[in-house]
Amino acid sequence: MARGSKRGRRRAGRRQGLIAAAGALSVAVVWFAGEHPGWAAAIGCLLAVLFVGGLVLRHRMIEAERRRFLAANAELERVDRMTGRAFEHLVAERMIADGFRQVRERGGAGDGGVDITAVAPGHGRIAVQCKRYAKTVGAPDVRNFLGALANAFAGHTGVLVTTSTLTRQARQEALGAREPLILVERDHLADWLLGKAPLLPGGHPGKGVLPTGDETPAG
């Protein structure tokens, strides 16, 4: 008990020390700005430039890492060895590179039957289900996805992306629904990952979906 009390007193002492130091620094900054306004403005501008430059550099590093990741995993032979979650991450990263906005990976327990949500310019909100299957995708998989779109994800365009193909019945279910699903089967997936085809109809390779002239991009 005494040992815990000592640790608590030490933590309280450190907090008080930090608060006192922050207060002293604030007073010093105010005094310096009042006594040397020109220098204070110049230092403020320099810090702002450094901050913005840091953000730009960080963005470029993230983009470079994304390009390396996508290039290393563009072949289906690599994708076939991925886990389901890794495949979802690959699809999400490719979507970001193609200009989709608000891309969110949702896969896992409690995902509501949708692995990725995003906003596609000219196409509104989309909900993506990823199937890294060695077997074919069956009608029950499609029905479950359609159920998610009719309930928790109403208003989203459904996109089913698979490393495999759909059975004939599954394809009929997908294309015959009130709001037909966009299907990205193995051959289309291969072209998309290589940058040879868009993910969604109406786009062009590497750019997702393009808005029409009188359309305002969603989001």
Side-chain angles (χ1 to χ4, degrees):
M1 189 72 176
R3 184 177 300 173
S5 298
K6 288 180 180 178
R7 283 199 295 267
R9 287 196 296 270
R10 283 198 295 270
R11 283 196 293 268
R14 284 196 293 269
R15 284 197 297 270
Q16 291 173 357
L18 289 173
I19 292 171
L25 180 60
S26 299
V27 170
V29 169
V30 171
W31 174 86
F32 183 82
E35 292 294 319
H36 308 283
W39 278 105
I43 292 172
C45 290
L46 177 61
L47 291 175
V49 169
L50 291 175
F51 178 73
V52 173
L55 291 179
V56 171
L57 179 60
R58 181 174 181 273
H59 176 73
R60 289 179 177 174
M61 290 175 65
I62 292 172
E63 288 299 312
E65 180 59 31
R66 177 175 293 119
R67 287 193 295 270
R68 285 193 293 269
F69 172 73
L70 293 174
N73 293 282
E75 301 289 341
L76 286 181
E77 290 77 8
R78 292 289 298 271
V79 178
D80 288 337
R81 295 194 294 269
M82 289 181 171
T83 64
R85 291 298 297 274
F87 177 52
E88 293 165 15
H89 180 64
L90 174 64
V91 171
E93 288 291 300
R94 181 71 215 191
M95 290 171 67
I96 293 171
D98 278 3
F100 289 83
R101 298 194 294 268
Q102 300 176 32
V103 178
R104 179 186 172 195
E105 295 180 50
R106 304 176 48 90
D111 62 11
V114 167
D115 298 315
I116 302 167
T117 54
V119 173
H123 220 87
R125 294 179 297 168
I126 66 170
V128 182
Q129 188 175 87
C130 302
K131 295 293 186 185
R132 197 210 62 76
Y133 276 10
K135 61 179 183 178
T136 53
V137 178
D141 294 309
V142 170
R143 283 194 291 269
N144 289 338
F145 188 25
L146 289 172
L149 294 171
N151 294 287
F153 296 91
H156 290 68
T157 297
V159 183
L160 194 155
V161 181
T162 180
T163 55
S164 182
T165 57
L166 279 73
T167 64
R168 183 173 63 180
Q169 185 180 359
R171 192 174 292 109
Q172 289 173 346
E173 293 258 6
L175 300 180
R178 183 172 60 182
E179 296 294 337
L181 298 182
I182 295 171
L183 304 179
V184 181
E185 298 180 77
R186 188 173 181 86
D187 289 345
H188 186 173
L189 174 65
D191 288 340
W192 178 55
L193 291 177
L194 290 170
K196 297 179 179 179
L199 178 66
L200 305 182
H204 63 79
K207 293 295 182 183
V209 175
L210 297 179
T212 60
D214 59 351
E215 220 168 1
T216 301

